Amino acid sequence: MHIKEFSVYGFGKHFKNKVLPSLKRFKKIKITNIISRKKNDKNFRIVKKLNKKNSTEYIYISTPISIHNINIKEAIKTNKVKVIISEKSLTNSKYKTWQIIQQCKKNKILLFESFMYKYHPQFLKIKKLILNIHDSNKNEIFFCRYSIPKIDIKDHRNNNRLTGGEIYEIGCYPISIIYFLFKIDKLKLKKITNIKNIKKGNKQLIYFKLNKLKFILSWGYNSVYRNRIIFKSNNHKIIGEKIFGKRINDNIKIKFNNKKSEKEFEFNNPDNFYFMFKYFFSLENNYKNRHDMYKEINKIAELIDFFKI
């Protein structure tokens, strides 16, 4: 197994505190370049841009969303890149995302958008539980809310020019989960006549019904912290807390109720990124997986665009 050398765009707190510790848990991983405005770092080589001489086969994108498109195009031009892993959302435009996918297809680059929560055992267990009890002929409710308290005025998430708005920064989580759990895409949504989509300031609420399953999705800043999904049927109820972002000391649980009993599932490791990288490194050479990723990224981009106000 050869050493996987990474070039990383962006070297902020998120990458240092969440992504880097997870990467370090894997053997034969090396951070070769940091592409950043920072002038120097005692532990890493800082470069202003990638070129044919300094580029690596692996790229990780951890810059604000609106810059992803520029970073990825620069990396592709080096003709050395084989893998690009980007923080979600891939871009702040459905068309830009489509362009990136086409370029990666042309250059045979594996493109991976890091919706890291979907690889954690908690999400996989929720998916299995819902699959076992979901019945399209019965009334059911799926609720998902992701809201965070007031953020620092200097935080890039307050700058829509850098993020594209809340829908790309945090709304992408509740939107993506309806695809990952129920395979709901733009084509299915276009057949629904009564979709309520309400935006107030930096908060958004979506309500729709597909067959007998009601969906309630919400997200926003400057609100009480919520990071939760609830699936409810006549006989069952599933509650998943801390479903998206997970901190190192978080207690990760699922509550599963039916009319006769209540079960609780606990998960000791809250590291979403570790499970994401574990999955990725196990499947990166799978050719079919490459095209599945292109399809998935495009589906999510279409969904976000559909709900964008």
Side-chain angles (χ1 to χ4, degrees):
M1 180 181 173
H2 72 288
I3 294 175
K4 291 176 168 53
E5 293 191 51
F6 275 82
S7 293
V8 178
Y9 281 89
F11 200 49
K13 289 181 181 179
H14 171 72
F15 181 80
K16 291 178 183 177
N17 297 337
K18 292 286 187 75
V19 184
L20 186 57
S22 300
L23 263 178
K24 284 183 174 179
R25 295 178 66 179
F26 295 88
K27 295 179 180 179
K28 296 189 176 181
I29 299 291
K30 180 183 178 183
I31 306 296
T32 302
N33 301 309
I34 301 290
I35 304 95
S36 172
R37 291 174 296 179
K38 190 174 180 179
K39 292 183 179 179
N40 55 63
D41 187 282
K42 63 180 181 179
N43 298 313
F44 299 99
R45 181 173 74 179
I46 306 292
V47 299
K48 289 185 177 180
K49 65 181 297 183
L50 277 189
N51 54 48
K52 291 181 180 180
K53 291 183 179 180
N54 64 19
S55 186
T56 56
E57 290 185 355
Y58 291 80
I59 304 293
Y60 193 91
I61 308 292
S62 187
T63 49
I65 294 167
S66 67
I67 308 172
H68 289 182
N69 184 50
I70 298 169
N71 299 152
I72 293 170
K73 286 181 177 179
E74 178 181 282
I76 291 173
K77 282 182 181 179
T78 67
N79 293 321
K80 289 181 70 175
V81 176
K82 292 184 178 179
V83 173
I84 296 174
I85 305 173
S86 174
E87 295 277 324
K88 57 74 206 161
S89 296
L90 184 71
T91 76
N92 58 1
S93 156
K94 179 182 71 170
Y95 178 66
K96 287 178 185 176
T97 293
W98 180 83
Q99 282 186 316
I100 292 296
I101 291 171
Q102 300 313 307
Q103 285 184 287
C104 287
K105 281 182 179 180
K106 181 180 177 181
N107 291 277
K108 297 181 180 179
I109 295 171
L110 174 56
L111 181 63
F112 192 87
E113 187 175 20
S114 65
F115 282 102
M116 65 290 176
Y117 73 88
K118 68 177 282 227
Y119 306 101
H120 192 277
Q122 180 202 33
F123 175 80
L124 298 176
K125 183 65 177 179
I126 288 172
K127 187 174 182 178
K128 185 176 181 180
L129 288 171
I130 289 177
L131 185 66
N132 288 337
I133 65 175
H134 175 43
D135 186 343
S136 59
N137 294 314
K138 294 182 179 180
N139 292 322
E140 297 171 327
I141 297 173
F142 179 77
F143 170 85
C144 179
R145 182 178 178 186
Y146 193 28
S147 58
I148 59 178
K150 189 173 183 178
I151 50 180
D152 192 303
I153 193 66
K154 295 179 181 178
D155 193 296
H156 77 276
R157 288 172 294 183
N158 273 319
N159 188 337
N160 284 354
R161 287 181 297 175
L162 290 178
T163 65
E166 301 82 14
I167 195 167
Y168 289 102
E169 190 67 41
I170 60 172
C172 61
Y173 285 113
I175 291 172
S176 66
I177 205 169
I178 65 171
Y179 177 75
F180 296 138
L181 285 177
F182 303 101
K183 292 299 178 188
I184 291 176
D185 59 13
K186 179 183 174 181
L187 292 176
K188 289 182 181 178
L189 289 172
K190 286 179 78 173
K191 296 176 182 178
I192 302 172
T193 56
N194 188 21
I195 297 178
K196 293 181 181 178
N197 191 354
I198 304 163
K199 191 175 191 302
K200 265 192 178 181
N202 51 26
K203 301 176 182 68
Q204 194 162 341
L205 171 68
I206 293 167
Y207 170 90
F208 64 92
K209 190 174 182 180
L210 185 62
N211 298 321
K212 293 193 174 184
L213 176 55
K214 294 179 183 178
F215 289 86
I216 304 168
L217 313 176
S218 72
W219 60 85
Y221 298 144
N222 305 323
S223 301
V224 175
Y225 180 75
R226 290 289 183 271
N227 182 1
R228 169 190 297 166
I229 68 105
I230 299 172
F231 179 82
K232 189 176 181 181
S233 65
N234 290 337
N235 299 317
H236 301 89
K237 187 176 183 180
I238 300 167
I239 302 174
E241 300 283 1
K242 310 289 176 62
I243 188 75
F244 301 123
K246 295 176 175 66
R247 292 170 294 192
I248 196 67
N249 295 318
D250 279 344
N251 192 11
I252 311 303
K253 293 182 178 181
I254 301 170
K255 291 182 180 179
F256 178 60
N257 302 328
N258 59 36
K259 289 185 176 180
K260 295 181 180 179
S261 63
E262 177 177 319
K263 290 183 181 179
E264 194 168 87
F265 303 92
E266 293 190 29
F267 304 87
N268 296 325
N269 187 350
D271 190 347
N272 275 337
F273 283 96
Y274 167 74
F275 291 105
M276 181 190 78
F277 285 124
K278 184 179 179 182
Y279 172 86
F280 171 76
F281 291 139
S282 70
L283 289 180
E284 63 175 300
N285 294 319
N286 185 318
Y287 186 77
K288 180 181 181 298
N289 186 63
R290 180 185 309 248
H291 289 273
D292 288 343
M293 288 297 166
Y294 295 149
K295 179 183 176 182
E296 179 180 286
I297 292 167
N298 193 56
K299 291 280 188 182
I300 301 299
E302 288 180 340
L303 278 176
I304 293 172
D305 184 73
F306 183 87
F307 289 121
K308 189 176 179 179
I309 297 178

